[in-house]
Each structure stands twice: as structure tokens, then as C-alpha cells.
Amino acid sequence: MANLSLRRARTIIRKTLEQGREMALKPLSVVVLDAGGHVMAFEREDGASPGRFQIAHGKAYGAVMLGMPGSAQMQRAEDQAYFMAAVNGVFGGQVIPVPGGILLRDSKGAVLGAVGVTGDTSDNDAAAGKAAVEAVGLVADL
């Protein structure tokens, strides 16, 4: 089973930022959480707004705590707004149900944590994060 070490978390961040620059995205902020929702690492590029930590965290936190990526959360919010409102109440308003919250899975499907990417459009955030997760040998559940 693959694990989510601090070294791997930092590599995911570095590769997400590299992919963002390659895609010519706005300045990104990236957080990696472990399977318990605890912050392992975070970086905010120069020029990224200061509130980006909370957004990146909310994307990743919702993914890991609900076991579903941001895109699935967004669909759930559209289909059952009351459910996502209740979930956000349970988690103290920390869930941001949009793409860019990516579950990190090993090759057998076990959740190892989540990454939250913010700074550009949600779909671009997710694409940059996906490339990074796959570059470190994990499965990105978007």
C-alpha cells in the first residue's frame, strides 16, 4: 500500500504548482490533508490572495471527510442543497463543494488523504492537482 508521507505531500504541492505554471494559471494555493483531515503541507504562490488557505482547505476537507471529490460534492449540492447545507453545519462551515478537492487513493482504492487546489477556475485547479497526484504514483479521484 502506498502511503502519504510528508515528502510525498510536498511533492504533490510542488508538482501542482509546476503544472499550474505550465497551464498558465493564476497563482495557486495547495494543501494536502491526511486521511483524518489533518494538514500535512500547504503552499501559496506569490500573488495568490491571502484567503486561499481556507478555500484550498475547504475543498480538500470536504473530499476527505465525505469520501467524495469536489465534483461529486458539487453535484450533490445541486441535487440536494439541504444535505450539503447540513453537512457544512456539521463541519462548522469548512466544506467547499466544488472541483479542486481531490481524493488521494492508492492503487487498491484506499483513501490516503486529499489535496485542495485553488486560485484559478475550479476545473483548472482540479486539472493541475490531478496531474500532480498521478505524477507521484497515486490515483486522483476528481
Side-chain angles (χ1 to χ4, degrees), residues 31 33 55-64 67-74 96-104 113-118 122-123 125-127 129-130 133 140-142:
V31 69
L33 307 182
I55 296 169
H57 182 269
K59 289 181 174 189
Y61 191 75
V64 77
M68 67 174 75
S71 59
Q73 293 174 59
M74 187 168 82
I96 299 182
V98 297
I102 303 163
L103 282 173
L104 304 173
V115 60
V117 184
T118 185
S122 292
D123 289 337
D125 294 343
K130 178 182 188 285
V133 171
D141 186 352
L142 299 178

Side-chain angles (χ1 to χ4, degrees), residues 66-85:
L66 295 172
M68 67 174 75
S71 59
Q73 293 174 59
M74 187 168 82
Q75 186 63 53
R76 189 79 184 259
E78 291 170 358
D79 294 343
Q80 297 178 305
Y82 63 89
F83 174 78
M84 288 307 294

Side-chain angles (χ1 to χ4, degrees), residues 10-11 26 28-29 33 37-40 43 46 56 60 69 71 76 87 91 104-105 112-113 117 119 124 128 134:
R10 287 177 173 161
T11 301
K26 294 175 184 172
L28 297 180
S29 297
L33 307 182
H38 303 99
V39 175
M40 293 186 69
E43 285 192 32
D46 292 344
S71 59
R76 189 79 184 259
V87 162
F91 292 121
L104 304 173
R105 296 184 183 273
L112 303 177
V117 184
N124 284 343
E134 291 173 350

